[in-house]
Every structure is written in structure tokens, then in C-alpha cells.
């Protein structure tokens, strides 16, 4: 059985995939609600652009209940992966093939093109929270913190890399400081 520690919790007990699922389910029930899509219009448009037309197989990592996937991937075969079993049950009702897994483990899927998004952990709001002695991120479903440079480093060796800083009124002034989300795409060299 795979165990992990949660970031920022040195000495914290290790957590199994089952415990992770319970934690995610609770957060998603209380904080997000069914069908919630953060920065929906912007993310849907970018994801739709990078996935391309219908007839593709789309791997949605961290798919939750499938709301975002359903919004951008119409006409495609969808495989959704998440640690939240309750959310996966809802995604299954949408016709999404689901897999319960920890995304830190190796996944049994072929290489290819992907599109993803993560919070911009180093946006000004989080920097100010840190200065005030608070945790930068309150969302327990995001176990890693990423800056745009972190994403670029992770995508080293991928082709056709695209990176967009989105979601925030002040993004046009300074995207790195004011964007709430990072959407990125790339293709694994074969």
C-alpha cells in the first residue's frame, strides 16, 4: 500500500490512498460542490484548443467529478483519474471511464499530448499570506506548489510546450503576480 506525507506537515503521519480519497471528498463536498470549475471559461477554451477535435482519447488527471472534462472534451473518449472515489463515481455517470489512483504513482498510459492546470502558488495573494504567517495554499487537494518556472522545468524534454497564466482581473498588468492558475500543454517525444 502506498503512503505519503502532506506538505508542510513534517512529522505528520503517513496517509494511504484511501485516507487521501476521504480528505479530497470532504474538501470537494464542503468547499467546491458538484460541478465546480475554477476559471471555467478560460480553462475550457484553452483545454479545448489543445485537445483538438473529437475522436481523441483524453486522459484527465485529477478529473474530480468530470465537470471540466465534460465542458471541453465532447466527442472524445475520456479516461478520468483521481484520488477522490466519490467524485469519480459522479464522473462515471457522465460516461467517463474512471481510474482511482494516486497521481504520484506511475500511470499505465501511453505517452502523448496532455493539457493540465495547477494553481499559481507564487501569485501575490499567496506571497502576502506567507508574509502574514499563513499557509500559501488552503486547498488540501493541491499537494504540490508550482510557479510558472517550476512547470517549465517539469516540461523539460517535452515538445510543443505551451504555458498560460490565467484567471485574475489584474493578469494583464503582471501575469506572474496576479494569475490564479497556470494552464500548460506539451507532447512527450516518442
Amino acid at each position: 500500500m502506498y503512503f505519503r506525507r502532506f506538505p508542510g506537515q513534517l512529522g505528520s503521519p503517513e496517509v494511504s490512498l484511501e485516507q487521501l480519497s476521504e480528505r479530497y471528498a470532504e474538501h470537494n463536498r464542503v468547499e467546491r460542490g458538484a460541478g465546480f470549475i475554477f476559471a471555467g471559461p478560460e480553462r475550457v477554451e484553452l483545454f479545448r484548443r489543445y485537445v483538438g477535435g473529437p475522436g481523441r482519447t483524453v486522459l484527465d488527471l485529477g478529473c474530480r467529478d468530470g465537470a471540466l472534462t465534460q465542458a471541453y472534451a465532447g466527442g472524445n473518449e475520456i479516461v478520468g483519474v483521481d484520488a477522490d472515489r466519490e467524485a469519480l463515481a459522479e464522473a462515471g455517470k457522465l460516461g467517463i471511464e474512471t481510474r482511482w489512483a494516486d497521481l504520484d504513482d506511475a500511470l499505465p498510459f501511453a505517452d502523448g499530448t496532455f493539457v493540465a492546470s495547477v494553481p499559481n502558488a507564487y501569485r501575490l495573494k499567496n506571497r502576502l499570506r506567507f508574509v502574514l504567517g499563513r499557509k500559501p495554499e488552503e486547498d488540501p487537494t493541491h499537494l504540490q506548489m508550482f510557479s510558472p518556472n517550476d512547470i517549465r522545468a517539469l516540461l523539460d524534454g517535452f515538445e510543443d510546450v505551451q504555458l498560460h497564466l490565467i484567471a485574475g482581473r489584474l493578469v494583464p498588468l503582471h501575469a506572474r503576480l496576479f494569475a490564479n492558475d497556470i494552464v500548460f500543454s506539451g507532447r512527450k517525444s516518442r
Side-chain angles (χ1 to χ4, degrees):
M1 179 172 281
Y2 178 77
F3 291 92
R4 70 163 67 225
R5 291 187 188 277
F6 289 109
Q9 297 178 333
L10 295 176
S12 66
E14 294 179 335
V15 178
S16 70
L17 181 56
E18 187 65 46
Q19 291 167 316
L20 186 65
S21 177
E22 291 170 14
R23 184 176 186 171
Y24 280 27
E26 175 65 18
H27 173 76
N28 289 333
R29 257 191 318 275
V30 173
E31 298 294 326
R32 299 293 185 217
F36 175 79
I37 303 173
F38 179 78
E42 289 177 280
R43 286 174 67 205
V44 166
E45 189 271 321
L46 287 167
F47 277 53
R48 192 176 283 143
R49 181 186 324 162
Y50 292 120
V51 166
R56 297 180 179 241
T57 300
V58 176
L59 177 60
D60 186 352
L61 302 177
C63 75
R64 262 197 52 188
D65 62 7
L68 175 62
T69 310
Q70 185 181 34
Y72 76 81
N76 293 295
E77 179 185 336
I78 311 298
V79 178
V81 181
D82 205 289
D84 181 346
R85 277 187 168 165
E86 286 182 27
L88 285 176
E90 294 303 311
K93 293 176 185 176
L94 299 174
I96 295 172
E97 178 187 333
T98 62
R99 304 269 177 95
W100 183 54
D102 184 325
L103 296 179
D104 282 345
D105 291 342
L107 299 172
F109 302 107
D111 293 338
T113 301
F114 68 91
V115 181
S117 65
V118 294
N120 178 14
Y122 294 90
R123 63 190 179 268
L124 183 60
K125 177 182 175 182
N126 281 344
R127 292 175 188 209
L128 293 174
R129 290 177 60 85
F130 183 75
V131 166
L132 295 172
R134 297 183 189 155
K135 293 180 182 177
E137 284 290 330
E138 293 293 328
D139 186 341
T141 65
H142 293 285
L143 301 178
Q144 306 291 329
M145 294 180 58
F146 296 101
S147 71
N149 287 339
D150 295 330
I151 298 298
R152 283 187 184 92
L154 285 171
L155 299 177
D156 186 40
F158 286 80
E159 296 175 356
D160 302 324
V161 172
Q162 302 289 324
L163 190 136
H164 303 272
L165 294 155
I166 66 164
R169 292 179 319 199
L170 300 176
V171 169
L173 294 177
H174 196 291
R176 289 165 115 6
L177 286 178
F178 296 115
N180 289 303
D181 213 42
I182 305 167
V183 174
F184 52 98
S185 177
R187 186 169 47 85
K188 184 73 172 172
S189 304
R190 298 207 188 274

